Amino acid sequence: MGDTAARAGRKQKQTDTDTGTRRSLGAAALPAVAAVLTFGWAWWGLAGGSPLPSPVALVGGAVLVLGSAIAYFVLAGGSGGLFGALLLAAGLLLTVTAADQSAARPDEALCVVRAIDAREQASYGEGAPPGRTVYRHELQCPGGDPGEIKTDHHIAEVGGEVRIAHDRRHRVSPVVAGTNSPWTPAAWAVAVLALSTVIGGWRRPRP
């Protein structure tokens, strides 16, 4: 009787260990899989030959980011799992930024800055991104497009000229010509997602 109970206990312990290992491996693999899916979805919405409607693209992206973070937390568990899930969400948002920056803006226009409106965006508490100033530049461009550009710094004084790269289909926001590069957000995305992967693989949650 005692031997049977002991064997059953060892078997259950081994099952629990195997389940925990599978969940840990799943949490470790999830960041890479989610990043590929998120980048693909963002690229399709921003630069695909048959673009998605904007509401569909936004909702689909939100589902991917939030769903991946929730799945990660369920797999990893505990405070480490929560921290890793937050890192995963941040990494996926950086992935979307990289996709946006890599999308083509084939049209250029030499525009005049008509007005500048600076607005402060406050931080939302400890751990949130710090506050920043957003500069909305009203533009006068040939043909009237684009009409404005938002940046985190002055691009020219009122009355000054600036060359703007944009997409006439309005799938991506305009930028100052020659300044958009996906490498910085991509590098941060890789670093953040790698940390999330390490946390997911290190955790050994209780099944």
Side-chain angles (χ1 to χ4, degrees), residues 40 74 95 123 141 150:
V74 170
T95 300
S123 175
C141 303
K150 295 179 181 179

Side-chain angles (χ1 to χ4, degrees), residues 23-117:
R23 292 175 64 179
S24 181
L25 291 174
L30 185 57
V33 175
V36 171
L37 292 175
T38 301
F39 184 88
W41 181 265
W43 182 260
W44 185 13
L46 295 170
S50 53
L52 296 167
S54 295
V56 175
L58 289 174
V59 171
V63 169
L64 275 173
V65 173
L66 294 177
S68 298
I70 292 171
Y72 181 99
F73 176 70
V74 170
L75 289 170
S79 58
L82 176 60
F83 182 61
L86 293 175
L87 287 174
L88 174 58
L92 295 181
L93 292 176
L94 287 166
T95 300
V96 173
T97 301
D100 175 84
Q101 291 297 311
S102 62
R105 291 167 171 83
D107 307 302
E108 289 193 8
L110 185 61
C111 306
V112 176
V113 178
R114 299 176 56 187
I116 301 175
D117 179 27

